[in-house]
Amino acid sequence: MRVTVGVDDAGVAHVEMCRGSGNAIDLATAEGLLEAARECEAARARVVLLTGRGSSFCVGGDLKEFGALSGERLAGHLARVTGALHGALRIFAGLDAPLVAAVQGAVAGAGLGLAMAADLGFAAADAHFTAAYTAIGYSPDAGVSWLLPRLVGPKRALDLLLTNRRVSAAEALEIGLVGRVVAPELLRAEAEGVARRLAHGATGAYGVTRRLVAGAFSAGLDEQLDAEARLLAAAAVSGEGREGMAAFLGRRRPDFTRAAAR
């Protein structure tokens, strides 16, 4: 089992890479992530918490597996790996459920893409980040070439992608690769606590907000304003919107979980 997944009573989907060897992504791990994403979608998870078991979150692709192949066999194999991995990322991006990641140790290559894909990224203070691709003559995958420029800007993205220099957790926080840095012993508890709080929130509104932010860089201001107005009106008359307003006026805590079920 390369990837485990389980949805708890609060609706938090716990997705963990657990293959050892730095959770390097071989074909089985990529397929495991795709299956886990499908399970999160089918279960209508309210939040997804992505973690990696062991001393490192994910060191990127399994170079031993790739190095055992050559020519057309290697090209075909990589197409299968990226097909599964990118399928998982597409599903996670399309969910209403926020994606929370807790990363520790080495975060490299595709592991960097998985970490950046999170809406809320927690890093242990001892985590470190490296693009790694061009160091072996490869180019990026896992959305790295799309996500990295949007988070840190194109010039800094090229610096990281071309030099493959190591970025500390402190610098990752400073440049926007992650949102929070915590002590290693507190990493899981901090991430799980936020995930559980989000699970009680307005998942539909989270989904709309995720899509608005994702589309902001490709939309003009007029288009974005129109989308905000249209989606706000729809949210206001949704079950969540009605529950949120009723709770506010009634000076009580909203029950978005029950509202979503209606």
Side-chain angles (χ1 to χ4, degrees):
M1 180 73 71
R2 298 289 205 271
V3 179
T4 62
V5 58
V7 182
D8 66 22
D9 292 342
V12 179
H14 297 260
V15 177
E16 183 174 59
M17 295 175 286
C18 55
R19 70 158 296 199
S21 302
N23 295 311
I25 297 178
D26 58 359
L27 178 57
T29 302
E31 291 176 340
L33 284 167
L34 177 57
E35 181 57 33
R38 287 171 173 161
E39 289 190 35
C40 293
E41 183 177 41
R44 301 183 70 178
R46 299 183 64 80
V47 180
V48 178
L49 177 59
L50 178 63
T51 58
R53 188 180 302 174
S55 59
S56 290
F57 173 69
C58 176
V59 298
D62 186 340
L63 301 188
K64 289 184 178 180
E65 181 181 78
F66 302 165
L69 304 170
S70 61
E72 290 302 314
R73 289 183 64 205
L74 175 59
H77 184 76
L78 288 174
R80 293 176 64 193
V81 173
T82 55
L85 177 60
H86 292 180
L89 287 166
R90 287 187 176 99
I91 291 173
F92 286 137
L95 298 176
D96 286 343
L99 178 61
V100 179
V103 308
Q104 77 285 350
V107 185
L112 180 60
L114 289 169
M116 291 191 298
D119 302 295
L120 297 176
F122 291 77
D126 62 357
H128 51 88
F129 303 78
T130 313
Y133 294 100
T134 60
I136 60 167
Y138 280 30
S139 58
D141 68 344
V144 169
S145 65
W146 192 89
L147 290 161
L148 192 57
R150 284 165 170 77
L151 293 178
V152 306
K155 291 295 186 182
R156 186 173 274 142
L158 284 169
D159 171 29
L160 300 181
L161 289 166
L162 300 181
T163 69
N164 299 297
R165 67 179 181 84
R166 178 181 287 195
V167 174
S168 68
E171 184 182 358
L173 177 62
E174 179 183 354
I175 66 178
L177 283 181
V178 296
R180 307 186 196 186
V181 173
V182 300
E185 65 272 17
L186 300 177
L187 178 65
R188 287 293 182 95
E190 290 278 347
E192 289 179 3
V194 169
R196 291 188 69 83
R197 287 196 293 274
L198 287 171
H200 293 288
T203 308
Y206 291 157
V208 171
T209 302
R210 295 182 82 210
R211 288 185 280 277
L212 280 169
V213 172
F217 287 93
S218 58
L221 177 59
D222 284 346
E223 182 182 353
Q224 192 76 357
L225 290 171
D226 289 344
E228 286 184 344
R230 181 180 70 256
L231 293 168
L232 174 60
V237 299
S238 71
E240 287 183 349
R242 295 194 306 274
E243 168 61 13
M245 181 59 73
F248 176 79
L249 295 175
R251 297 185 179 183
R252 61 174 175 82
R253 186 183 298 275
D255 186 349
F256 290 119
T257 303
R258 186 175 63 180
R262 291 201 295 263

